[in-house]
Amino acid sequence: MVSPDELVKLDLRSLATRLSGGSPARSELGTQEWLAVVQLLTADIMHDAAGLSREDWTLVARAYDYAVDTAIAAGDFDHREKTYRALHLSSDLLGQVPPNPDVELLDPHRMTDVLIRELPMPVEQARALAKRWMTLERSEILRLRIAKDFLRPGLKLAHRAYGEQLPEPLKSWEDVFPSLP
């Protein structure tokens, strides 16, 4: 049985090695403890990013995927939260380290694909709803806010991937972004 205190004491490589090997098992930690593991791992990745080798990144990416997927299975957050966290982490990491097409979090093209795939509605619908967002049902406003939350880091990633000439639908999303609630 692994305690959260043991995990906190590990350096990033040791923590990533354990997690990528499937330890601890989902049942060994509670729901809130899995959230803490994701937050610990994310903070360690951000802190040590510049010093990681290509091999380290492969290990760290597997550990991150395991921690997040296990936290979802434990019921602490959902797929939307996973996407939100990944977009933000990727955007922040790419401010510190060069892109790496072998690691999804470090590949702005792949992360832009994640953004497009996970946006909660087509851009045309978002544009139409944004014009009258104050009259919408709460659930529709929430969908627009989710889109904006995804776009904030996602558009930065898109510009890293494509430069100033964004392809569609990214250009349209960039145009509608300021009008989202």
Side-chain angles (χ1 to χ4, degrees), residues 46-103:
M46 286 300 301
H47 183 266
D48 294 352
L52 296 177
S53 69
R54 265 185 121 66
E55 296 79 28
D56 291 336
W57 276 112
T58 301
L59 176 71
V60 165
R62 276 197 320 265
Y64 181 80
D65 289 343
Y66 174 75
V68 170
D69 290 343
T70 305
I72 290 172
D76 200 42
F77 56 85
D78 59 15
H79 184 77
R80 181 182 59 83
E81 181 72 15
K82 175 183 179 177
T83 302
Y84 175 82
R85 287 174 180 270
L87 290 168
H88 277 277
L89 179 57
S90 179
S91 179
D92 291 346
L93 285 171
L94 288 168
Q96 294 184 46
V97 299
N100 178 346
D102 297 329
V103 178

